[in-house]
Amino acid sequence: MSVTSKASKESKQANSQKAGLSDVERAAIRDRAAELKSEARRSKSANKAAADERDALAKISNMEQPDRAIAERLHAIVTETAPELAPKLWYGQPAYARSGKVVCFFRSGQGDKQRYSTFGFTPEANLDEEHGLWATSFALAELTDRAEATIKRLLRAALG
C-alpha cells in the first residue's frame, strides 16, 4: 500500500469516527449484540423468560437513584397492568415484550447522560392516532400519580 493511500485510509477512518456513532451509541450496539447472543443461547432453555426477567431486574438494580426508583416502579406498573408483557433487556435497558417483540421500554437518563429518563413504545404497541400524530416516548423526570395513570392507559391501549 502506498504512503498516500494509507494516509487517505486513515483520514477516512478519522472522519467516519467524528461523523459516526457516539461512545454511548457504540456501547448500546455492543449491549444489543450481547443480548442477541444471550437470547440465542437461551432459546434452547426452558427458563428463558425467568432469565430475561433476572437480567432486566439486575440492570434496574444497578441504576443510580432516582432512575432506579423510577425503573422499579415502572416494572411494577407494567407487570401489574400488562402481565402478558415479558421483561427483557433491549439495547442494554429494561423493556417489555409480547411474543418476543418489544412493546415498551425504559431508558435511564443517567446512562445516556441526559437530564431525564425516557419511557417509550415501539410500533408493536400500535398506539396510532387517527389524526396521524402520536407520541411514542415520554421524558420521565419523576413518576407522579398522573404519569402513572397515563402509562397505565397507554399500556391498556397497546394491548387493546
Side-chain angles (χ1 to χ4, degrees):
M1 178 184 294
S2 72
V3 174
T4 306
S5 64
K6 185 177 179 182
S8 176
K9 184 177 179 181
E10 289 172 357
S11 176
K12 285 180 184 177
Q13 286 176 341
N15 287 339
S16 69
Q17 288 175 349
K18 288 179 188 174
L21 301 173
S22 70
D23 290 340
V24 171
E25 291 166 328
R26 279 192 290 280
I29 290 170
R30 281 192 301 276
D31 288 345
R32 184 64 181 142
E35 290 161 18
L36 291 172
K37 282 173 119 175
S38 179
E39 286 175 13
R41 283 191 303 269
R42 286 185 185 157
S43 66
K44 301 170 190 164
S45 168
N47 296 322
K48 180 183 179 328
D52 285 347
E53 183 170 18
R54 277 193 307 273
D55 288 348
L57 291 173
K59 180 65 177 188
I60 291 169
S61 71
N62 288 329
M63 290 179 184
E64 293 183 30
Q65 293 293 1
D67 286 355
R68 182 180 336 133
I70 292 170
E72 287 170 346
R73 184 64 194 132
L74 275 173
H75 179 76
I77 290 168
V78 173
T79 56
E80 290 166 11
T81 307
E84 58 270 41
L85 295 181
K88 64 184 283 178
L89 287 179
W90 191 55
Y91 293 98
Q93 298 292 318
Y96 301 86
R98 175 178 44 216
S99 302
K101 296 185 178 183
V102 172
V103 173
C104 59
F105 59 90
F106 176 75
R107 289 213 46 91
S108 168
Q110 291 174 338
D112 290 337
K113 296 182 173 108
Q114 299 294 320
R115 62 183 179 87
Y116 57 82
S117 294
T118 304
F119 185 71
F121 293 89
T122 69
E124 292 297 319
N126 293 319
L127 295 177
D128 308 30
E129 294 282 342
E130 287 181 18
H131 54 79
L133 175 71
W134 59 92
T136 59
S137 63
F138 300 85
L140 191 55
E142 69 177 293
L143 200 47
T144 63
D145 291 342
R146 187 172 174 191
E148 283 189 31
T150 299
I151 290 168
K152 288 177 181 178
R153 179 181 53 78
L154 291 166
L155 286 168
R156 285 190 290 270
L159 300 175

